[in-house]
Amino acid sequence: LTSAQKTAAQVRGAKLAAIQQKTLEQARIDATYAWDASPVSTGRLSAELWEAVKGEDWSFVSYIMHFSWWPLRTWPMEKHYQWNGNTGGNGMGYNAPASLGAALANKKHGRFTVNIQCDGDLMYAPSVLWTAAHHQIPILNVMHNNRAYHQEVMHLQRMASRHSRGMESVGIGVKIDNPNIDYAKLAAAMGVYSEGPISDPKDVGPALRRAVAVVKRGEPALVDVVTQPR
């Protein structure tokens, strides 16, 4: 590069750095909205999870579109293994087994594996929990338990609105309630340390810290948090 090109690149880099910092600051402000809401806001859950794992050599392995991208927006991801990336084909039931595979890969490096697990996805292959317990694969699973296949809920809402047919039936086949699934009991039945379901945001941080201690001793753990849809 010429001197002029180097100077131009430095000026452009400084502008991009300033934009990035401003974007980060705004995202952290946005995460505080509905901080005390119940069900727990996704912004608060992401912030509480960061506080629990920030001192570890962490690796975040979740497919994350369903969680409003909060960790990518607010966590300082500076190493190649700190995010596992998205699914290539949007396969249903992808996240739980893919995250456990990443946790197995991380185990030999001593990395702390973190997974935000959506509820509908886990129901495709809940035996993943037994596999984690059987093979002693350390992973922190935090349930994004919004009690729905919410991407499908939103699509049905859009279609119902477009066709002016009302919202009364948009939950059919896509809500996961009546009865609600207790993922903590499901995990316990598979031999995994678990807590929840948690709907009071004040209880999230302490539960996460207890689960972190379990994972650090080489075991899987699950914290079931009842959450806002997105």
Side-chain angles (χ1 to χ4, degrees), residues 30-142:
D30 293 345
T32 66
Y33 297 155
W35 187 256
D36 294 320
S38 178
V40 180
S41 74
T42 54
R44 177 156 187 177
L45 179 53
S46 178
E48 296 281 9
L49 183 54
W50 168 245
E51 284 299 315
V53 305
K54 65 183 181 181
E56 311 300 328
D57 184 21
W58 55 270
S59 175
F60 183 73
V61 297
S62 306
Y63 175 70
I64 199 60
M65 181 180 72
H66 64 279
F67 202 67
S68 296
W69 307 96
W70 282 116
L72 268 64
R73 293 163 64 189
T74 56
W75 295 22
M77 296 193 176
E78 298 165 343
K79 300 174 182 177
H80 72 274
Y81 58 80
Q82 287 184 326
W83 184 44
N84 200 39
N86 278 322
T87 167
N90 277 330
M92 301 301 289
Y94 161 88
N95 192 74
S99 295
L100 188 62
L104 179 60
N106 281 331
K107 182 177 179 179
K108 65 182 179 182
H109 299 290
R111 296 171 187 154
F112 188 98
T113 303
V114 186
N115 170 37
I116 295 177
Q117 178 60 49
C118 42
D119 50 352
D121 178 275
L122 182 58
M123 296 311 295
Y124 281 82
S127 59
V128 132
L129 297 170
W130 180 89
T131 301
H134 180 73
H135 293 288
Q136 288 294 279
I137 303 172
I139 180 172
L140 174 58
N141 295 295
V142 181

Side-chain angles (χ1 to χ4, degrees), residues 34-45 47-49 197-209 225-228:
W35 187 256
D36 294 320
S38 178
V40 180
S41 74
T42 54
R44 177 156 187 177
L45 179 53
E48 296 281 9
L49 183 54
I198 298 170
S199 56
D200 187 334
K202 295 190 296 297
D203 295 333
V204 172
L208 289 173
R209 289 190 290 274
V225 183
V226 182
T227 51
Q228 298 286 340

Side-chain angles (χ1 to χ4, degrees), residues 6-29:
K6 289 179 181 179
T7 299
Q10 290 170 351
V11 170
R12 181 171 180 268
K15 288 181 179 178
L16 290 173
I19 291 170
Q20 182 200 34
Q21 185 60 34
K22 185 176 180 180
T23 301
L24 175 61
E25 291 169 359
Q26 185 60 55
R28 287 175 173 165
I29 292 171

